[in-house]
Amino acid sequence: MPLVLATQAPDEPEIFASVQGEGPSMGAPCTFIRLSRCNLACVWCDTAYTWHFDGDARAHRDGETFDRKANQVTLDVADVAERITALGQNRLIITGGEPLMQAGPLAELLELLPDLTVEVETNGTTTAPPRLDIRIDQYNVSPKLAHSGNAAELALIPERLRSYSLDERAYFKFVVASEDDVAEVAELVRAHALPKKRVFLMPEGTDSETLRTREKWLTQSCLEHGFRMSDRLHIHLFGDTRGT
């Protein structure tokens, strides 16, 4: 069963070695694979080339759409496994898009990579089937707040949030642009019993100046609520670029 990946350049899958830029594993050396397609549409999404293809009328702040053929590539799982192995890292980050939309081929892929520590970055609207779930060491769950532009009934599914809250492998990473967003996070934490020690606030932004400005007031928000703060290390190191 094939996987549909995003591209770094036409026909070149976005599979690369770097350090994790966000969340509890920030700074850890790893291999990334970025899958294509998403079931949500965030207006500030910085990987819109994974879903905002020509003809898609959903809103995005840049107003840009992407040619699907140039931004998607389909590869056999054995090919993907070989490329991951060649990069020589012990930690694999599966990101997107929404990776769990391709749960079947992902399970096949990980069966070919039995020795890797595996993180999945997900928007939290779905769960992995048992064949895949058994191989996941960490879920980086990023529920989408109102400022994402997604309807709450699509983006914030109570039974999904509750399930992840009970899973000690799951960390919650909320993208925050204003103090109103922090208030929304606090209410979600209360309503769904999300463990504060596994809740991160991360500034929205694709340049260092924006991130640093927001982190100044986010620090106080974390102190007030008992949340953790995540930077976006890759933005500071490489800018808003693919394959980093």
Side-chain angles (χ1 to χ4, degrees), residues 3 6 16 20 31 37 56 210-211 225:
L3 278 165
F16 59 95
Q20 171 65 294
T31 291
R37 303 199 302 247
D56 189 333
T210 299
L211 296 177
H225 293 280

Side-chain angles (χ1 to χ4, degrees), residues 1-3 5 74-81 108-109 112:
M1 188 180 298
L3 278 165
L5 292 93
T74 300
L75 297 177
D76 184 80
V77 292
D79 186 357
V80 176
E108 290 186 20
L109 173 68
L112 299 176

Side-chain angles (χ1 to χ4, degrees), residues 38 40-46 48 51 59-61 144 147-150:
C38 192
L40 297 180
C42 297
V43 296
W44 40 254
C45 179
D46 61 357
W51 60 270
H60 189 271
R61 67 182 175 192
K144 305 311 178 188
H147 73 106
S148 72
N150 294 288

Side-chain angles (χ1 to χ4, degrees), residues 90-93 113-119 135 137-138:
N90 296 320
R91 180 180 293 268
L92 177 65
I93 315 294
L113 301 166
D115 299 323
L116 296 186
T117 297
V118 179
E119 296 183 25
R135 282 300 323 282
D137 298 286
Q138 182 173 305

Side-chain angles (χ1 to χ4, degrees), residues 5-7 14 16 22 32-53 56 58-62 64-66 71-72 95-99 121 123 142 144 173 175 202 204-206 232 234-235 239-244:
L5 292 93
T7 59
E14 197 169 359
F16 59 95
E22 302 172 353
F32 279 87
I33 63 168
R34 186 178 302 282
L35 302 187
S36 189
R37 303 199 302 247
C38 192
N39 61 329
L40 297 180
C42 297
V43 296
W44 40 254
C45 179
D46 61 357
T47 57
Y49 60 90
T50 66
W51 60 270
H52 202 218
F53 301 121
D56 189 333
R58 292 178 294 177
H60 189 271
R61 67 182 175 192
D62 293 338
E64 181 180 8
T65 58
F66 298 85
N71 290 278
Q72 276 188 349
T95 189
E98 173 48 56
E121 300 193 332
N123 60 31
S142 184
K144 305 311 178 188
K173 183 178 62 181
V175 177
M202 185 179 73
E204 190 276 316
T206 54
R232 306 195 73 207
H234 53 296
I235 297 295
D240 183 20
T241 55
R242 302 192 195 193
T244 57

Side-chain angles (χ1 to χ4, degrees), residues 24 120 122 136-141 160-173 194-195 197-200:
V120 167
T122 176
I136 307 305
D137 298 286
Q138 182 173 305
Y139 286 102
N140 302 322
V141 184
R160 298 286 187 260
L161 292 173
R162 183 59 177 163
S163 176
Y164 282 117
S165 77
L166 296 172
D167 189 336
E168 293 186 355
R169 298 171 297 170
Y171 292 82
F172 297 87
K173 183 178 62 181
L194 307 184
K197 66 181 181 181
R198 293 193 271 124
V199 173
F200 287 77

